[in-house]
Amino acid sequence: MTDCIFCAIVAGTAPSVIVAEDERTLAFMDINPVSDGHLLVIPKAHSADLLDIPPEDLTAVTLMAQRLARDAVDEFGADGVNLLNSCGADAWQTVFHFHLHVIPRYLDKTRDRLPAVPWTPEVPGDRDLIVSLGSRLAAAV
Ligand code: AMP
Ligand code: ZN
């Protein structure tokens, strides 16, 4: 796709620090890393986002992300990993070529600039709303 920076990286016409690749996927370092070792895994074929990507590419990208998460833990001594996907501008997506962020996490905050989790897991939601939304979704799938 024209004007897609990640397609340009796949084509080799934009610079990148490539970490791994296979038939369907490419993994490269994020240029604005939020932690040491933050990388991105993309399908070589352009898909805009999670709603768009075909199952075979999503499977391949996910498996590559798992492989690199393990490697990052081993190589960098990470204490954990976040996988992150943003789907849609209102959900923080800024590059509209599907990607999974692989973000090694560290207790050592000189290596990890992620802020605290942006929701409050300990605050219970409205039980009626949870049940009604769950029921609607169950009926829709
Ligand atoms: P998102 O905001 O979830 O769409 O993530 C886009 C990510 O792509 C950001 O973390 C950017 O730092 C990263 N990024 C943008 N352009 C490049 C590039 N040319 N090479 C590597 N990473 C990039
Ligand atoms: Zn693209």
Side-chain angles (χ1 to χ4, degrees):
M1 170 170 280
T2 53
D3 294 337
C4 172
I5 181 62
F6 289 176
C7 281
I9 288 174
V10 171
T13 55
S16 66
V17 177
I18 292 174
V19 174
E21 69 178 303
D22 60 20
E23 189 187 343
R24 285 183 179 272
T25 73
L26 185 70
F28 54 94
M29 303 304 283
D30 196 296
I31 43 164
N32 306 300
V34 294
S35 73
D36 287 5
H38 178 180
L39 62 97
L40 303 171
V41 185
I42 67 169
K44 287 181 173 173
H46 183 92
S47 289
D49 59 29
L50 178 68
L51 305 182
D52 185 39
I53 186 170
E56 300 80 10
D57 277 350
L58 180 59
T59 301
V61 167
T62 305
L63 292 175
M64 178 63 90
Q66 183 197 38
R67 177 181 149 196
L68 291 171
R70 286 181 172 141
D71 290 343
V73 166
D74 290 347
E75 183 62 27
F76 301 134
D79 301 300
V81 181
N82 284 113
L83 286 191
L84 175 71
N85 169 253
S86 299
C87 178
D90 292 335
W92 305 334
Q93 187 174 7
T94 60
V95 176
F96 292 86
H97 180 133
F98 179 87
H99 49 282
L100 282 184
H101 296 260
V102 179
I103 307 174
R105 303 301 309 280
Y106 306 92
L107 295 172
D108 175 359
K109 293 307 165 195
T110 64
R111 305 174 73 195
D112 185 327
R113 293 161 294 284
L114 234 68
V117 65
W119 66 89
T120 45
E122 72 277 8
V123 176
D126 178 324
R127 170 93 191 144
D128 290 344
L129 183 59
I130 293 168
V131 169
S132 105
L133 294 176
S135 303
R136 267 178 66 188
L137 204 50
V141 293

